[in-house]
Amino acid sequence: MHRIIRSFTLAMACTLCLAAVALAGHGEHKPTKKGILLVAFGTSIPEAQHALDNIVDAAKKAFPGVEIRWAWTSHIIREKVAKEQGLHVDSESVALAKMLDDGFTDVAVQSLHTIPGAEYHDMVKAAHAYRALGMRTLVGYPLMATSEDLKLTAEAIIATIPQGRKKNEAVVLLGHGTHHPADVYYSAVQHVLAGMDELVLMGTVEGHPTYDDVLATLKAKGVKKVWLMPFMSVAGDHIVNDMAGPEADSWASMLAAEGIKNQSVLKGTAEYDEYVDIWIDHLKGAFSHFR
Ligand code: CO
């Protein structure tokens, strides 16, 4: 009986040996090569592109000697910068294909998005698809994913408010907002902020809280002056035009029309270490699973 079990175990072990050799391809051992892919939405505004460099510098410092590459999820933005600026940035799928081709075995894919919305989930699908081709991929969370992230993000918001802001002046953050269920994250962080400073409000361009929600709160609290700040990684088109632009339908113009003085800060969240630290911590979390 024992002998039967032993020969069965041996047979199994040999089968596994063969499988392992087959996986490595002609018996060659593929050396471990770890890499990082940073994935942002992308931006067509050159000054805003430099904001993303800040994240690369932080990642380089946290992972010395590890190759770091870029990808942008927005097809429209990639086409636009290629046509107008001759700047070619890969999508996450193409960037991962190149990394597979270049022999990477372990790739931490870090989302530089603000919420786990549609762009984030598409990125997760792309990253996981490469596992079937033998490349270990792990995805780091966007800025806000867990309840702890909401607290850290709210603290980053409070810490980056301009020093010149007076106690009776409001600070309105402008996030993107989305039709995706993850739109609730903006309201969730607003809830956390309310417990820290009741005049720091979250608004969004395309989701909730809306401009009307924010305006109603400002009126109810009798606010006379507002600081407008981006809650997007880069101060791109939505910030330059929809938030601070001279057109009548920008947040700055609409607030002014209501008799509320306002001042815009044109600095994306990726330009502040307080936010970058959160993304880098998420990257460390993903990378730590590789041996
Ligand atoms: Co948009």
Side-chain angles (χ1 to χ4, degrees):
M1 185 63 187
H2 277 157
R3 190 175 296 167
I4 293 170
I5 291 173
R6 199 183 301 141
S7 42
F8 177 74
T9 311
L10 256 172
M12 276 301 289
C14 283
T15 313
L16 288 172
C17 279
L18 284 172
V21 169
L23 272 176
H26 302 286
E28 287 169 37
H29 180 66
K30 199 175 176 185
T32 299
K33 187 175 174 185
K34 296 176 187 176
I36 288 169
L37 180 65
L38 299 175
V39 184
F41 177 78
T43 177
S44 58
I45 298 188
E47 301 84 67
Q49 286 158 10
H50 297 303
L52 298 173
D53 296 342
N54 194 31
I55 297 186
V56 177
D57 293 342
K60 276 184 186 159
K61 215 181 279 173
F63 300 94
V66 178
E67 191 174 332
I68 297 163
R69 296 191 183 185
W70 262 120
W72 288 1
T73 49
S74 171
H75 184 81
I76 297 168
I77 302 284
R78 276 185 277 115
E79 292 241 300
K80 199 170 173 206
V81 298
K83 214 160 106 190
E84 295 172 3
Q85 302 164 28
L87 176 67
H88 295 274
V89 184
D90 289 331
S91 68
E92 66 275 29
S93 299
V94 170
L96 285 165
K98 287 181 180 172
M99 290 182 94
L100 178 71
D101 208 36
D102 291 341
F104 285 88
T105 55
D106 302 78
V107 177
V109 182
Q110 179 56 45
S111 158
L112 299 176
H113 300 101
T114 301
I115 54 161
E119 302 269 337
Y120 171 77
H121 287 284
D122 284 349
M123 194 195 78
V124 172
K125 273 184 249 169
H128 287 187
Y130 281 88
R131 290 179 180 176
L133 298 171
M135 189 163 73
R136 283 181 290 273
T137 54
L138 283 170
V139 177
Y141 282 143
L143 187 71
M144 300 190 292
T146 65
S147 295
E148 175 68 8
D149 295 338
L150 288 176
K151 190 176 149 269
L152 294 172
T153 300
E155 284 170 359
I157 289 171
I158 299 291
T160 52
I161 291 172
Q163 300 234 316
R165 178 240 179 171
K166 299 197 181 75
K167 271 238 144 98
N168 61 345
E169 297 169 350
V171 177
V172 172
L173 280 299
L174 191 63
H176 195 281
T178 173
H179 54 86
H180 188 277
D183 192 45
V184 296
Y185 275 90
Y186 297 101
S187 298
V189 77
Q190 166 67 82
H191 176 73
V192 180
L193 285 166
M196 297 178 172
D197 184 330
E198 60 168 12
L199 287 184
V200 179
L201 307 172
M202 181 62 63
T204 63
V205 188
E206 291 173 18
H208 292 82
T210 63
Y211 171 76
D212 290 340
D213 295 333
V214 172
L215 182 63
T217 308
L218 293 174
K219 282 184 168 174
K221 295 190 186 293
V223 171
K224 303 274 186 299
K225 190 188 169 182
V226 162
W227 292 77
L228 285 168
M229 295 184 76
F231 188 61
M232 300 184 201
S233 58
V234 296
D237 193 53
H238 284 305
I239 297 306
V240 174
N241 295 309
D242 300 335
M243 187 184 93
E247 298 81 10
D249 61 351
S250 74
W251 286 49
S253 301
M254 291 192 292
L255 287 172
E258 295 286 343
I260 300 172
K261 276 193 273 176
N262 60 84
Q263 186 163 340
S264 291
V265 178
L266 299 178
K267 207 170 157 188
T269 52
E271 294 182 68
Y272 296 99
D273 291 344
E274 287 84 350
Y275 294 96
V276 172
D277 286 348
I278 301 172
W279 277 302
I280 296 295
D281 270 351
H282 290 174
L283 173 57
K284 284 180 185 164
F287 202 87
S288 69
H289 292 278
F290 297 141
R291 280 150 200 274

